Amino acid sequence: MRSSAWFVANYALILCTLRLTDGAKEHRPCSEVNYYYEYTECDSTGSRWRVAIPQSPGACTGLPEPVRGTECTFSCLAGEFLEMSAQECTPCAAGSYSLGSGIRFDQWDSMPAGFSSLATSLEYNPHRDDRLTCNSSTWVPQGNYLESNRDECTVSLIYAVHLKKQGSVSFEYQYLDNNLLFEFFIQNDQCQEMDQSADTKWLKLTNHGEWATHTVNLKSGTNILYWRTGGVLMRAKGVKPVLLKNVQIKGVAYTSECFPCKPGTFSRVPGSTACDPCPRDTYTGHGASSCTPCNTTTHYAADGSAVCKDRPPCSRKDYFQIHTACDHEGKTQVVYKWIEPKICLEGVTGAESLPPSGEREPCPPCNPGFYNNDTATCSPCPPGTYSDGIKPCDRCPAGTEPSLGYEYKWWNILPANMKTSCFNVGNSKCDGMNGWEVAGDHIQSGAGSSDNDYLILNIHVPGFKLPTSMSSHSGTEFGRITFEFETVCVAGCEFYFMMDVNRKSTTVVESWERTKTRQTYTHVMTQNASVSYTWAFQRTNQPSDVRRYVNDVVRIYSISVTNAVDGVASRCRACALSTEPSTSTCVPCPPGHYIDALTSQCTECPRNTYLVPHATPGPDACKPCGPASKSEKDHSLCYSDCHFTHTESNATLTYDFSLLGSGGSLMNGPSFTSKGTKYFHHFKISLCGGKGQLAVCTDNVTDLSVTDSQREKGEGINAVKTFICQSTIIPATGRGFHTALASQSINLADTLLGVTVDSTLDGIRARPEMYHQTTKKVPDVNFYFRSLDPTSSCESGRSAVVTLRCNAEKSTKGELSVPSQCPAGTCDGCTFNFLWESSGACPTCTERDYHQIEGACKGGHQDLLYVWTEPKLCMGGLALPEKKTLPCEGMEFWVRLGAGLGAFTAVLLVSLTCYFWKKNKRLEYKYSRLVISANKECEMPGADSCAMMEGENEGDMEDEIVYTKPSLLGKLKAIASKGSGEHYEHVQLNSSHSKALVWS
C-alpha cells in the first residue's frame, strides 16, 4: 500500500506541474484518442494502478485520474483482449485474433517491433580484407518467414519479453545444412543464460522442405530470446539458410488489443484464436473477416494468397506425362495431365495445348526379383525363389541361396516401398504436386510449383539381413545402396543424397551441384538399423514463386539396395552346405571363412589375410595384408602390431612403436576464412591395434545431447571411428557461442595398406621432400592408409601417409606436423600427409649403438665404461652394460722395462760403432797402399802385391781400381757373412785404364 500511495502522490505532482507549466496556455480537453492506458508495476501485495499515458505530452488537458487496476494474476482467455477502459475481457472482432495470455508473430514483410538482428564481431585477423566484414549479415524478412544469413558470420535474432507467469515459446523452423550452426538460448535481464539442456539449445536438422516445431518453457520475469546462426566452414556455394516462422510466446498477463489477420488469412467470427488461410482462387488484405474471389477466367490465387495473379499462357512446363499400368497385352498408355492446380490459359496467343493421350507403348520388363503373373502386373517372387525380371521365378540350385535386396532399373510405376513428394520452402507442401515422375528407363524430377521447391524421393529399408553364410560375420558392412544418375541444369541446381538412421535425424551423405554427367554412387551401411534414403532436388535456392527452370532435371536410372530384410531376390549366391550328408541346408560360416566352390564348405582364410565383403566365393576372397601388417582373428581387418623390422647393408633395425600406437592428435592452424573466422583442423591418428583401438571423431554441433562417454566410444550419430579422422574445430571465443564446436568429422583412413620404408605403396607417395630434410642414418618408416568411401572430389576415396621419424630430442609421444605448404594436411583434398617425429620412432638399441671407454689404472685396478654413440638414434632394446673394474699393471714395471731396453740398445750401438770404426781404418790403409802403388810408373806390377792382404786373389785384380763405399746395410750383411769366409771387401782393378782411379 505504501508503494501505491507513493505512486499516486508522484503522479499527482506530475499533473500539478503540467498544469502550472501550461497554465498560461489554453488546451483542449483530452479525448480517448489522445491517450492510452498502462498498468503500473505490481507492488508487494499484488496490486497495481491503471494510469493514462498521453500520446503527445502537453497536447491536451484533463487526463483521467489513476484508478486501481485488476489483480496482477488476472488474464484473459484465448480469443479475448483486456479492454482497459472497463478493465474487462472482451472478444476480438472478426478479422482479428488473440491468444489471451500470448503473442504470435506470423507475418514477416518487415522486422516486427521488438525484434533486432545483431552480427557478432569476428576475431581480428591482420591478413584479412577489411571490406569483408559482417556488417551486412542479418536475418532477412521474406514475407511468410525469416531467413538467416548465408555466410560464415555469427548473427543473432533477439527479442525481449516480460512474462507475468511461467510460459513458453514455440516456433517453426527449417534447418537443412550442418555447415551452419543454429542454437536457441534464453538470457535474463542480467544477461545470464538460463539453464537449458543441450537438446533444447541446439536445434536438430530437418528434412528438406519440412518444417519442425521447437518449444521451450520460460520463467516469469524478463526473458531475452536468442536465435543464433553462424557458419562452420564455408563452401564456395555458401550454405542453406535457416528459416524461421510462427513465433508464439505464452505467459504474458494480458493483451490490450487483438492482432489483425495477416493478408491471405481471415477470421469469420468474433473471439477467434487464429486466422484461417483463404481457399484457392480467393484473396484477402490485412485484417479481413472474409475472402474475396478472384476472376478465375483471367486470374488465379494459391491457398493463403494476398492478391490474385494473372494466368499465363500454357506451356510445356504446365503439364507432365504418366504411364498407365500394363494391360493384358503388355502395353502401357502415355497420359498427359495438367499440373494441378492449373494456372495457365489455353486458347490464347502463344498457348500450348495438352498433347493427346492414349498412345500405347510396350511395357518395360519387370524389375529383377519380380515376375509377370499373366495379370499384366509385376509381382514379387515368392520367398526362396529368384528372377531376373524376364524369366519366371525359379528356386536357387543346391549350394546357393537367394540374394535379397531391391534392384530398380525399370520405371513404369513407382515401387511400393518408395514415396515421392514436393515441399515448398515457404509453405509445407506443394499443392497437388508429385516430386518425381516415372519415365520408362528412368525416374526424373517433376515440375514442382516453383523453382525453389524441394522435390523429394524416398525409400525406406526396415533393416538388413546378411546372407546365411555371412550371418555370423562381425564385419562392418551390412549392406550398400548404389544408384546411377545425371543432372542437367542451367540454373544453380543442387542434388542431395541423405539418410535417416532409426528416424533420429536426416543427414546429407553427399551432394552435387549443377550439371553432372551420368555416374554411379555407392554408400556402405555399417550398422544394422532401420534407414530411410532420400533424394532431394532443388533448382535454385533463391526465393521464387514461378516455374522458370522447369527443364532443369535430375534423372535416376537405377537404384540397388543389397541385403534388405524385406527385399526380393534377383539372383542366387553361393552358400556353405551342412556337413550332414542327408541335408542340403545352407549354414553360416564362422567369421573369416570363405566358401570353397568345390566342396561348398567353409574354409578359413590363410594367416594374415582379410576377407573382402561381398566377394566372389573362393580363395580370391581372402586378400593378403600389406607389408608389416597382420589380420585380426576374424580376418575382417589388417592392422599393425607396432613392431617393424628393416634390413639394409647387413644391418637389421628393429622398431617398437608401442608408445605411439595408443594414438596421437594434431590441432593445426589456426586458419581463417575470408571474413576472419578462426578454425582449426583436429586430426586423430591410431597407428596400431585392431578395431578396439581406432580413433574416434564426433560432431557436437547438431548432436550435443550425446554424452562424452558415448562420443569416446563413437556411438553418436555423427561419430567417425577409424584409423585416421578429422574434425573442424571452432573455438568458443570470438563467435558468441559458449563452447568449442566440432563439426564435419570425416574418415581419412579405414584400411591399413602396409608399413614400409619405401616412399610409395599401392600408388600412394609419401612425399618426403615436403618435410625438412634429415641427415640421420635411421630411415623414416611410412604407414600407408586408404579410405574406401568415395567422395565427389576423390572417386577412389581418400588416402593418408603417416611418416615416423626418429628424433632423440623429442619425447616418446613426439610431435605431429603437416607439410608447411599444405597446412590443412593435404594439397589436393584426397591425399593427406603427416610427419610424426619422436624418440619412440627410433629403432631398438643394439651393441652397435654404444662403445667402450677405458679408465686410468689406479692402485692396480682399471674401470671400463660403456656410453651411447652420439647422436643416440635408438630407443629401448638392449640396455647399456654395467661399469666393469679389472686388475692392471702399475707404471713402475713399465718404467723399469723401458729403462732396461734403453740400456741394452745403447750398448749395442756403441759396440757396432767401435767395430765399424776399426773396419774403416783397415780399409783406409788398404786404399792408401793402392794409391802409392799406382803413382810409381817405373815399378813392375808385381810390386802391387806388397799392398795385398793375405788371402787376396792376385788373378782377380785388374789394372784399374774401382772402389765402391759400402752402405750401412752392406756392412751389416758383411758382418753376417763372416761365418762363410767372406770377410773381405771386393776391389776391382781394370788394366785398360791403369792410371785412372775412380772412387765413389
Side-chain angles (χ1 to χ4, degrees):
M1 293 301 295
R2 182 178 179 182
S3 60
S4 298
W6 178 86
F7 175 80
V8 172
N10 279 274
Y11 182 74
L13 180 61
I14 293 173
L15 290 179
C16 293
T17 304
L18 290 174
R19 289 191 181 100
L20 291 173
T21 304
D22 299 332
K25 300 180 181 179
E26 292 185 0
H27 292 289
R28 58 183 178 83
C30 291
S31 63
E32 292 184 358
V33 297
N34 300 123
Y35 60 88
Y36 61 94
Y37 289 112
E38 284 286 354
Y39 282 121
T40 65
E41 291 292 332
C42 296
D43 57 22
S44 59
T45 63
S47 300
R48 57 185 173 179
W49 292 80
R50 188 200 69 178
V51 297
I53 308 297
Q55 299 282 2
S56 300
C60 63
T61 60
L63 288 173
E65 298 292 334
V67 298
R68 188 172 294 277
T70 59
E71 295 181 358
C72 292
T73 57
F74 176 84
S75 62
C76 294
L77 299 176
E80 298 178 341
F81 73 101
L82 181 62
E83 204 283 311
M84 295 294 288
S85 298
Q87 298 192 72
E88 294 180 353
C89 292
T90 305
C92 292
S96 63
Y97 72 96
S98 167
L99 301 178
S101 61
I103 51 178
R104 179 187 295 159
F105 301 94
D106 55 6
Q107 187 174 353
W108 306 94
D109 296 318
S110 60
M111 192 69 75
F115 281 87
S116 61
S117 183
L118 176 64
T120 304
S121 298
L122 298 178
E123 295 190 34
Y124 173 73
N125 178 13
H127 304 290
R128 69 185 174 101
D129 191 340
D130 291 337
R131 296 172 297 173
L132 299 174
T133 65
C134 294
N135 295 335
S136 59
S137 299
T138 183
W139 286 75
V140 181
Q142 296 287 3
N144 291 327
Y145 56 88
L146 269 178
E147 182 181 279
S148 74
N149 57 309
R150 295 172 179 262
D151 54 27
E152 67 200 43
C153 296
T154 301
V155 184
S156 298
L157 177 69
I158 307 172
Y159 182 76
V161 62
H162 187 79
L163 302 185
K164 296 296 183 181
K165 57 182 179 180
Q166 291 185 352
S168 64
V169 56
S170 64
F171 53 88
E172 297 180 52
Y173 71 95
Q174 279 190 16
Y175 177 28
L176 309 173
D177 199 333
N178 60 2
N179 288 288
L180 197 69
L181 307 177
F182 183 32
E183 66 172 335
F184 173 73
F185 62 96
I186 308 159
Q187 289 183 353
N188 58 21
D189 54 0
Q190 302 297 319
C191 295
Q192 296 173 336
E193 188 170 338
M194 304 279 194
D195 293 336
Q196 202 172 344
S197 60
D199 57 345
T200 61
K201 179 178 179 180
W202 294 94
L203 282 300
K204 294 183 179 180
L205 293 171
T206 61
N207 294 332
H208 283 61
E210 296 185 358
W211 291 86
T213 301
H214 189 69
T215 302
V216 179
N217 294 328
L218 301 178
K219 296 180 180 180
S220 59
T222 300
N223 292 264
I224 305 175
L225 313 179
Y226 287 83
W227 293 266
R228 179 171 291 169
T229 59
V232 177
L233 190 60
M234 296 299 99
R235 300 168 290 183
K237 63 185 179 182
V239 298
K240 295 288 184 182
V242 173
L243 307 183
L244 182 69
K245 70 176 183 178
N246 292 341
V247 178
Q248 182 171 297
I249 302 172
K250 294 182 179 180
V252 297
Y254 63 90
T255 177
S256 58
E257 60 181 353
C258 295
F259 300 99
C261 294
K262 68 176 183 178
T265 64
F266 72 102
S267 62
R268 191 182 306 277
V269 297
S272 297
T273 60
C275 298
D276 300 319
C278 285
R280 183 181 304 168
D281 291 333
T282 63
Y283 72 99
T284 64
H286 192 74
S289 60
S290 62
C291 300
T292 304
C294 298
N295 181 359
T296 55
T297 304
T298 56
H299 291 77
Y300 76 98
D303 291 342
S305 295
V307 294
C308 294
K309 298 179 181 180
D310 294 332
R311 291 184 179 272
C314 292
S315 63
R316 171 65 186 85
K317 62 186 178 183
D318 293 306
Y319 64 85
F320 63 97
Q321 70 175 20
I322 61 171
H323 292 76
T324 62
C326 293
D327 57 22
H328 62 282
E329 297 179 357
K331 301 286 186 179
T332 180
Q333 292 186 3
V334 180
V335 178
Y336 296 91
K337 292 185 177 182
W338 293 111
I339 295 175
E340 296 294 339
K342 182 183 177 184
I343 61 173
C344 64
L345 288 176
E346 299 181 78
V348 297
T349 304
E352 187 172 335
S353 300
L354 189 69
S357 300
E359 181 180 355
R360 302 180 69 196
E361 296 179 352
C363 285
C366 294
N367 280 308
F370 292 80
Y371 72 102
N372 191 317
N373 59 0
D374 295 330
T375 60
T377 59
C378 294
S379 302
C381 287
T385 62
Y386 75 101
S387 171
D388 60 359
I390 300 176
K391 299 178 182 178
C393 298
D394 194 5
R395 292 205 166 271
C396 291
T400 63
E401 62 179 337
S403 179
L404 299 180
Y406 317 127
E407 189 173 352
Y408 302 128
K409 57 183 181 180
W410 299 108
W411 305 91
N412 183 52
I413 59 173
L414 196 68
N417 63 341
M418 299 185 72
K419 294 181 180 179
T420 176
S421 58
C422 172
F423 286 93
N424 186 272
V425 170
N427 301 314
S428 57
K429 286 191 177 183
C430 313
D431 294 329
M433 296 298 302
N434 284 328
W436 293 67
E437 304 168 358
V438 294
D441 66 339
H442 67 273
I443 183 172
Q444 68 180 22
S445 54
S449 60
S450 65
D451 284 340
N452 68 340
D453 289 348
Y454 288 104
L455 308 175
I456 306 297
L457 179 66
N458 174 273
I459 181 172
H460 179 67
V461 182
F464 296 88
K465 181 182 179 181
L466 291 171
T468 302
S469 56
M470 299 176 60
S471 60
S472 62
H473 286 197
S474 57
T476 57
E477 180 176 336
F478 288 89
R480 59 177 58 192
I481 180 170
T482 303
F483 58 93
E484 185 180 6
F485 72 97
E486 69 175 349
T487 58
V488 179
C489 299
V490 175
C493 69
E494 190 161 7
F495 179 47
Y496 301 88
F497 173 61
M498 303 169 289
M499 72 175 185
D500 179 1
V501 179
N502 292 329
R503 301 189 182 277
K504 288 186 177 180
S505 177
T506 300
T507 57
V508 177
V509 178
E510 191 60 84
S511 63
W512 299 266
E513 291 181 292
R514 301 186 180 275
T515 298
K516 296 295 180 184
T517 57
R518 190 165 173 172
Q519 57 188 275
T520 299
Y521 180 81
T522 299
H523 176 73
V524 176
M525 191 65 186
T526 58
Q527 56 179 313
N528 190 4
S530 171
V531 59
S532 290
Y533 295 110
T534 301
W535 295 266
F537 180 70
Q538 188 182 36
R539 293 183 170 90
T540 176
N541 59 10
Q542 301 300 320
S544 173
D545 58 356
V546 297
R547 292 191 296 267
R548 184 177 303 166
Y549 303 109
V550 71
N551 291 325
D552 290 7
V553 297
V554 56
R555 301 184 182 95
I556 297 180
Y557 293 92
S558 64
I559 298 176
S560 172
V561 181
T562 64
N563 300 337
V565 70
D566 62 341
V568 294
S570 59
R571 55 188 172 273
C572 300
R573 61 169 293 147
C575 70
L577 296 180
S578 172
T579 55
E580 298 292 335
S582 58
T583 64
S584 59
T585 9
C586 293
V587 296
C589 283
H593 287 63
Y594 66 93
I595 303 171
D596 192 312
L598 298 177
T599 63
S600 296
Q601 301 296 315
C602 298
T603 304
E604 185 176 5
C605 285
R607 186 172 177 265
N608 290 336
T609 63
Y610 68 98
L611 185 63
V612 179
H614 302 282
T616 303
D620 292 339
C622 303
K623 301 296 182 182
C625 294
S629 64
K630 57 177 62 177
S631 65
E632 290 194 320
K633 292 182 179 180
D634 59 1
H635 298 276
S636 62
L637 183 72
C638 292
Y639 70 97
S640 168
D641 63 355
C642 284
H643 292 85
F644 177 73
T645 302
H646 172 64
T647 302
E648 184 177 358
S649 301
N650 296 325
T652 300
L653 300 178
T654 303
Y655 297 82
D656 185 358
F657 302 126
S658 300
L659 297 177
L660 305 177
S662 58
S665 62
L666 167 66
M667 182 90 76
N668 71 329
S671 299
F672 295 89
T673 62
S674 60
K675 291 195 174 183
T677 301
K678 179 193 290 186
Y679 67 93
F680 299 83
H681 282 139
H682 188 206
F683 299 94
K684 290 186 177 181
I685 299 176
S686 176
L687 291 180
C688 309
K691 289 179 288 188
Q693 299 180 3
L694 297 177
V696 177
C697 295
T698 307
D699 292 356
N700 68 349
V701 173
T702 56
D703 196 16
L704 283 175
S705 59
V706 178
T707 63
D708 292 339
S709 61
Q710 288 177 313
R711 289 194 187 98
E712 292 176 359
K713 297 177 182 178
E715 296 177 355
I717 297 176
N718 300 313
V720 175
K721 192 172 184 180
T722 182
F723 285 108
I724 305 177
C725 58
Q726 172 198 308
S727 296
T728 300
I729 306 295
I730 295 183
T733 58
R735 294 300 305 274
F737 296 101
H738 304 281
T739 182
L741 303 174
S743 67
Q744 300 178 359
S745 296
I746 58 175
N747 171 18
L748 301 182
D750 52 24
T751 302
L752 174 65
L753 300 180
V755 184
T756 177
V757 298
D758 297 336
S759 59
T760 58
L761 181 65
D762 198 23
I764 304 174
R765 285 189 59 199
R767 306 291 297 273
E769 70 276 4
M770 301 177 70
Y771 306 109
H772 61 274
Q773 299 301 313
T774 176
T775 59
K776 297 176 181 177
K777 298 181 180 180
V778 177
D780 295 338
V781 180
N782 300 312
F783 282 69
Y784 291 88
F785 299 92
R786 191 187 297 280
S787 172
L788 301 180
D789 294 334
T791 64
S792 56
S793 57
C794 310
E795 296 181 358
S796 301
R798 300 182 179 93
S799 57
V801 183
V802 181
T803 299
L804 300 187
R805 176 169 293 175
C806 172
N807 189 335
E809 298 177 357
K810 302 289 185 180
S811 64
T812 52
K813 290 299 294 183
E815 179 182 349
L816 269 168
S817 62
V818 294
S820 57
Q821 56 267 53
C822 305
T826 176
C827 294
D828 58 6
C830 295
T831 302
F832 290 76
N833 292 273
F834 304 93
L835 176 65
W836 197 339
E837 291 185 283
S838 164
S839 58
C842 296
T844 54
C845 297
T846 63
E847 294 180 353
R848 298 187 304 268
D849 298 303
Y850 64 84
H851 59 275
Q852 175 182 295
I853 297 180
E854 297 180 354
C857 185
K858 294 181 181 180
H861 292 84
Q862 181 184 29
D863 292 336
L864 296 182
L865 301 176
Y866 299 89
V867 296
W868 295 113
T869 302
E870 294 296 335
K872 182 185 176 184
L873 299 177
C874 66
M875 183 72 177
L878 186 65
L880 278 176
E882 297 292 336
K883 180 180 70 173
K884 296 180 181 180
T885 302
L886 301 175
C888 62
E889 299 286 349
M891 283 297 296
E892 295 80 0
F893 169 78
W894 296 106
V895 170
R896 291 195 299 267
L897 180 62
L901 290 175
F904 173 77
T905 303
V907 171
L908 178 62
L909 291 175
V910 170
S911 301
L912 290 175
T913 302
C914 294
Y915 172 78
F916 286 118
W917 177 80
K918 183 178 179 181
K919 187 73 172 176
N920 187 50
K921 285 295 183 179
R922 293 172 63 190
L923 290 175
E924 285 181 358
Y925 172 75
K926 187 186 297 185
Y927 173 74
S928 61
R929 295 292 295 170
L930 289 174
V931 170
I932 294 172
S933 176
N935 290 333
K936 293 181 180 181
E937 299 178 355
C938 60
E939 293 183 4
M940 294 302 291
D944 290 342
S945 61
C946 298
M948 287 185 179
M949 295 297 294
E950 184 180 357
E952 291 181 335
N953 191 353
E954 180 181 356
D956 294 337
M957 300 299 295
E958 299 289 342
D959 292 338
E960 182 181 354
I961 300 174
V962 180
Y963 172 68
T964 303
K965 187 178 181 179
S967 64
L968 177 62
L969 181 60
K971 294 177 180 179
L972 294 175
K973 289 182 177 179
I975 295 172
S977 62
K978 286 182 178 181
S980 60
E982 297 178 0
H983 55 277
Y984 55 87
E985 297 191 4
H986 299 277
V987 178
Q988 183 179 5
L989 299 178
N990 192 337
S991 60
S992 63
H993 301 285
S994 59
K995 295 183 178 181
L997 178 65
V998 180
W999 180 27
S1000 59

